[in-house]
């Protein structure tokens, strides 16, 4: 099960936070800060999987002894694209490689929806971020990974804002996440 899907910029500012399990707001804020610190301090060639920080592991929802322990959040999976970190917190029942692929599908869907997505698109069109994620994950369970279906579902909802035709893209933030041609993925 997916417990949370997070997107940060390089300065640690959350661009998307979606929790599928109930946590106190104070714990969510501390967790967001702790996970960003862990992920952003990793060397570029490092593995994209981490054990869950002790904050969430210790404060997870209460489990009785009769419940299986494989439903407890235990893994952080992430990918770094240009100026953004895409992070998934999950249980041990999820395949880390499938989660890496899920992040890839999410970024590709956003790139198709925004036509060369950049961080500013994420800031000003957060409804589209949530709609896209909602087409892919419901209640922490992945329900769709087909990019065409995801994009058509989001477009059918009417949440995609079109960028003005004369708006140019500059280097830096406007350079996009790189799905078009200058795709940059740091890590393995």
């Amino acid at each position: 099960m997916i417990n949370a899907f997070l997107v940060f910029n390089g300065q640690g500012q959350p661009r998307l936070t979606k929790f599928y399990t109930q946590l106190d707001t104070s714990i969510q804020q501390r967790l967001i800060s702790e996970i960003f610190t862990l992920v952003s301090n990793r060397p570029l060639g490092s593995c994209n999987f981490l054990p869950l920080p002790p904050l969430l592991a210790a404060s997870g929802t209460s489990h009785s002894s009769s419940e299986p322990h494989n439903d407890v959040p235990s893994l952080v999976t992430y990918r770094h694209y240009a100026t953004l970190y895409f992070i998934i917190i999950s249980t041990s029942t999820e395949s880390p490689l499938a989660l890496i692929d899920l992040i890839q599908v999410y970024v590709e869907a956003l790139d198709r929806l925004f036509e060369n997505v950049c961080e500013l698109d994420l800031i000003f069109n957060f409804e589209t971020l949530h709609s896209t994620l909602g087409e892919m994950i419901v209640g922490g369970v992945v329900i769709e990974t087909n990019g065409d279906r995801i994009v058509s579902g989001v477009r059918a909802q009417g949440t995609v804002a079109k960028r003005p035709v004369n708006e140019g893209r500059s280097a830096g933030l406007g350079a996009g996440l790189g799905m078009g041609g200058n795709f940059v993925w740091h890590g393995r």
Side-chain angles (χ1 to χ4, degrees):
M1 177 179 169
I2 294 174
N3 299 95
F5 196 103
L6 311 168
V7 179
F8 297 102
N9 71 1
Q11 289 76 42
Q13 298 167 323
R15 297 302 180 212
L16 171 74
T17 58
K18 178 67 175 172
F19 286 88
Y20 295 100
T21 54
Q22 184 116 11
L23 290 174
D24 291 333
T25 306
S26 62
I27 292 175
Q28 285 182 5
Q29 294 302 320
R30 286 180 39 213
L31 179 67
I32 287 170
S33 173
E34 192 172 325
I35 286 183
F36 174 74
T37 302
L38 283 172
V39 169
S40 64
N41 290 332
R42 299 205 20 113
L44 291 179
S46 296
C47 176
N48 291 73
F49 313 112
L50 294 165
L52 190 67
L55 173 67
L56 186 60
S59 65
T61 57
S62 61
H63 294 281
S64 67
S65 59
S66 64
E67 287 185 69
H69 292 287
N70 62 355
D71 199 30
V72 176
S74 62
L75 182 66
V76 175
T77 305
Y78 73 95
R79 270 183 102 169
H80 182 204
Y81 292 98
T83 63
L84 297 171
Y85 292 92
F86 294 80
I87 302 167
I88 296 176
I89 301 171
S90 67
T91 63
S92 61
T93 58
E94 293 290 331
S95 165
L97 295 176
L99 295 177
I100 287 285
D101 188 48
L102 184 68
I103 293 171
Q104 176 73 28
V105 169
Y106 184 67
V107 171
E108 286 177 1
L110 290 176
D111 194 57
R112 288 176 56 191
L113 288 165
F114 290 115
E115 299 161 5
N116 197 16
V117 67
C118 71
E119 186 177 351
L120 289 176
D121 291 323
L122 306 185
I123 294 169
F124 294 114
N125 300 295
F126 62 90
E127 301 92 358
T128 305
L129 287 175
H130 285 280
S131 296
T132 306
L133 196 58
E135 289 289 322
M136 298 174 66
I137 303 169
V138 173
V141 177
V142 178
I143 59 166
E144 186 62 68
T145 58
N146 182 310
D148 294 331
R149 290 183 191 156
I150 294 165
V151 170
S152 64
V154 173
R155 286 190 175 139
Q157 294 176 26
T159 59
V160 181
K162 287 294 181 185
R163 196 178 298 124
V165 176
N166 61 356
E167 181 180 312
R169 296 288 191 157
S170 61
L173 289 179
L177 293 182
M179 295 304 296
N182 56 354
F183 172 64
V184 177
W185 171 41
H186 301 289
R188 295 181 191 198

